[in-house]
Amino acid sequence: MTLPTTARRRGLLALSIACALSLPLAAHAQTTSKSSKGTSREQQLEQRVNQLEQQLAELKAMIQEQKAATTQATQTAQQAQVAATQAQTTAQATSTKVEATPKPQFTTAPGLSVALHGFVSATVFGQDRTFINYGNGQNAEIPAPPTAANKANGYTGSLSGADVRNTRFWLDFTGAKLTENWIGSGRIEMDFFGGNNGTGAYAQQQPVPRLRQAYMDIINPTSGTTVRIGQMWDLMFPLENTPTSLSHIAFPLSYGSGIVGWRYPGVIVMQDLNHGSDGVKWRFDVAVLEGNWSGPQNTAGTATLNYLNGGAAHFNPQVEARLHAQGKDWLGYLTAHYSEIDLHGVGDIAPKPPRDKLQSIGYDLGGQWKPGPWTFKGLVYTGKALGEIFGAMSQFGNIKEAGGFVQAGYNFTPKWSVNAFYAAARPNREDVMAWTAPGTATAPGVGLLRNNMSALSLQYASGNYELGVEWIYDNLRYQAKNSLSSQTVSGNQVSFSGMYKF
């Protein structure tokens, strides 16, 4: 209705102006013909013209005000419409965000936060030989020497299957406070390599959870000090430098035959040496951990029971130290290990062992480098009596050895990568044979003398998912206790693995 009203006002204004202008013209004509009226009449006309001009100016101002009012009303309506649209959009976005925000799954003590992480892992594999010490599937490491019966019938132990035991989850706890300067955190970590639920027909599909780590951290952010108490990896294990593999995670490639280390209860103190400075980060770690051994109270394949074993007698601890350095695209470390093993066990139940005590000593040097799309990993180690930390292919005795691994990986696209791996373990032959159990006449003890593992994998990673195919070839040299010469056996495993991380 605004625009028609404005048009009428403009028409009336034009008519008024025409009428007003016609009057002075007529008056002026009469004034000219009647000159007798003179100057007074001209003054009246001039005043009348001034009045009309003033009225005209007022009418123009009224028109401008009307135009401004119309424009402002239009803009106000448009702004109101935009504001309404924005409000609707904001409401929809807020509603969507509220619906998308996950609700807390569980709570804990006040002031603490809990994060659940882990991964689901599945592997389909095929092997042309069974593997010993640790098992088959996702923890296959060392091929099994053939038995006399296998040699007689030509059976190699080939098998295939599916394995999900690498599946793992952990809880990270943060927010605890000890004092003004010390804060705390913790972790509980589980996987499913704890065995099977019974031995019946359905046991294989019921893997038992296994406690991997359970520790608390007490941290001083000012000094760069961390005290870790509980069960965790010892310092000889390359936790930050394990070989890349989707099939071998809980049992890394060459575990026990190129990599040593195990998880123990104890205390580890980690101290930053140049805390807060730029450049290379240096850290020094010291660990005091529980010991163990395959000796009294856990012989003949039985499990260590109620702390009654040679390594834990009187809590002879393992003592380890590590110097760790890390730069922008590399890391390196040097580790030393020492423990004393009492072979009599708790209560001197084995009065005549081969010797009373052993000294377990070990060193490893390792590192990782990532230049561009390449990743290089590796370590070398040496020592003696390292059976308690998976040394000498888990053979227990005063056995000297050396070993290590190297791996090269290349990302030829952001999602595709290829990895080549090699590892070797070299226990001393004389030491192995001296500490190998005699066995029986039909099943003599077998000493594992040397092992070589090679692996090649192709992996695809996208978001939380990883897929990969892997081939492992392992060659083992072994010798029976009653034999004068050694023999070799090899095994292959081909696997396809998938992982979902959360």
Side-chain angles (χ1 to χ4, degrees):
M1 297 297 293
T2 301
L3 293 178
T5 302
T6 302
R8 279 200 305 273
R9 288 182 179 179
R10 290 178 180 175
L12 293 174
L13 176 61
L15 180 61
S16 299
I17 292 172
C19 293
L21 291 176
S22 65
L23 290 175
L25 290 174
H28 179 66
Q30 292 176 3
T31 301
T32 304
S33 63
K34 298 178 181 179
S35 58
S36 61
K37 293 183 179 181
T39 306
S40 60
R41 183 63 174 168
E42 293 177 355
Q43 291 176 349
Q44 291 176 0
L45 290 172
E46 185 177 356
Q47 290 176 359
R48 182 58 178 166
V49 169
N50 291 336
Q51 290 176 358
L52 291 172
E53 288 178 350
Q54 184 178 359
Q55 292 176 0
L56 179 61
E58 290 175 356
L59 289 171
K60 288 182 178 180
M62 290 175 58
I63 292 173
Q64 293 297 328
E65 289 177 0
Q66 186 64 33
K67 285 184 178 180
T70 302
T71 303
Q72 184 176 2
T74 303
Q75 291 177 349
T76 302
Q78 292 175 346
Q79 291 174 355
Q81 184 177 2
V82 171
T85 303
Q86 291 177 345
Q88 183 179 3
T89 303
T90 302
Q92 292 175 348
T94 302
S95 176
T96 303
K97 184 176 180 180
V98 169
E99 293 176 358
T101 302
K103 296 181 179 180
Q105 299 300 312
F106 54 88
T107 59
T108 182
L112 300 182
S113 60
V114 182
L116 172 65
H117 297 289
F119 53 82
V120 177
S121 170
T123 298
V124 179
F125 67 91
Q127 301 172 188
D128 62 1
R129 186 172 295 278
T130 55
F131 284 66
I132 60 172
N133 286 2
Y134 316 121
N136 297 296
Q138 292 178 334
N139 56 347
E141 300 286 353
I142 303 168
T147 64
N150 289 343
K151 290 180 179 179
N153 60 27
Y155 176 66
T156 62
S158 60
L159 58 95
S160 62
D163 200 343
V164 298
R165 291 174 295 171
N166 272 328
T167 296
R168 183 184 307 178
F169 65 92
W170 61 88
L171 297 171
D172 284 328
F173 302 85
T174 57
K177 190 173 184 179
L178 182 63
T179 66
E180 291 299 323
N181 297 323
W182 293 84
I183 60 176
S185 62
R187 169 173 289 191
I188 299 175
E189 183 183 57
M190 310 283 288
D191 67 10
F192 292 87
F193 280 93
N196 294 318
N197 184 9
T199 58
Y202 312 110
Q204 183 175 326
Q205 291 74 40
Q206 300 184 78
V208 178
R210 174 181 69 161
L211 177 66
R212 293 174 55 84
Q213 298 188 90
Y215 60 77
M216 66 189 82
D217 282 344
I218 306 174
I219 306 165
N220 188 322
T222 303
S223 63
T225 306
T226 299
V227 180
R228 181 163 292 176
I229 305 170
Q231 177 164 298
M232 54 271 176
W233 287 100
D234 79 316
L235 301 182
M236 291 286 285
F237 184 81
L239 186 60
E240 300 174 296
N241 194 37
T242 55
T244 300
S245 172
L246 289 180
S247 67
H248 283 60
I249 302 174
F251 289 78
L253 295 172
S254 77
Y255 193 28
S257 58
I259 294 176
V260 297
W262 187 233
R263 302 180 296 270
Y264 290 100
V267 179
I268 297 178
V269 179
M270 294 167 276
Q271 178 61 56
D272 294 342
L273 299 181
N274 56 345
H275 183 66
S277 63
D278 297 329
V280 178
K281 305 297 182 182
W282 292 86
R283 192 183 75 235
F284 184 68
D285 308 331
V286 178
V288 178
L289 306 167
E290 183 185 38
N292 71 291
W293 196 255
S294 179
Q297 294 293 335
N298 66 339
T299 58
T302 60
T304 302
L305 180 63
N306 199 26
Y307 300 95
L308 299 177
N309 66 84
H314 312 299
F315 191 63
N316 292 333
Q318 302 178 75
V319 180
E320 296 180 344
R322 177 173 60 192
L323 181 63
H324 181 278
Q326 186 164 353
K328 182 179 179 180
D329 58 358
W330 64 273
L331 64 85
Y333 51 89
L334 174 64
T335 313
H337 158 93
Y338 174 82
S339 69
E340 187 175 89
I341 312 301
D342 183 353
L343 295 180
H344 290 90
V346 176
D348 290 337
I349 60 174
K352 295 181 180 180
R355 55 188 296 176
D356 291 339
K357 295 181 179 180
L358 296 179
Q359 290 184 333
S360 175
I361 300 172
Y363 308 93
D364 75 359
L365 174 66
Q368 183 179 145
W369 181 37
K370 292 185 175 182
W374 292 91
T375 299
F376 299 100
K377 301 179 181 182
L379 70 81
V380 292
Y381 77 90
T382 186
K384 67 172 184 175
L386 297 177
E388 63 183 335
I389 56 173
F390 278 60
M393 291 174 273
S394 292
Q395 297 177 107
F396 289 79
N398 195 34
I399 301 172
K400 300 181 184 68
E401 64 174 302
F405 82 89
V406 292
Q407 185 177 49
Y410 181 73
N411 280 80
F412 49 91
T413 75
K415 295 184 178 182
W416 288 93
S417 64
V418 62
N419 301 278
F421 174 86
Y422 176 78
R426 297 290 184 269
N428 180 272
R429 179 185 179 280
E430 287 72 22
D431 293 342
V432 170
M433 299 311 300
W435 286 87
T436 296
T440 65
T442 57
V446 175
L448 310 181
L449 304 180
R450 59 187 297 173
N451 194 74
N452 299 291
M453 174 181 280
S454 302
L456 187 65
S457 65
L458 177 67
Q459 294 185 190
Y460 172 82
S462 179
N464 292 24
Y465 293 89
E466 292 187 49
L467 302 172
V469 59
E470 184 175 67
W471 167 61
I472 298 173
Y473 172 77
D474 198 289
N475 181 269
L476 171 70
R477 181 173 293 277
Y478 67 96
Q479 184 172 341
K481 185 71 173 181
N482 58 1
S483 175
L484 299 178
S485 61
S486 62
Q487 301 179 62
T488 61
V489 62
S490 62
N492 293 272
Q493 183 188 77
V494 177
S495 63
F496 176 80
S497 300
M499 176 185 291
Y500 172 73
K501 299 179 180 179
F502 58 89

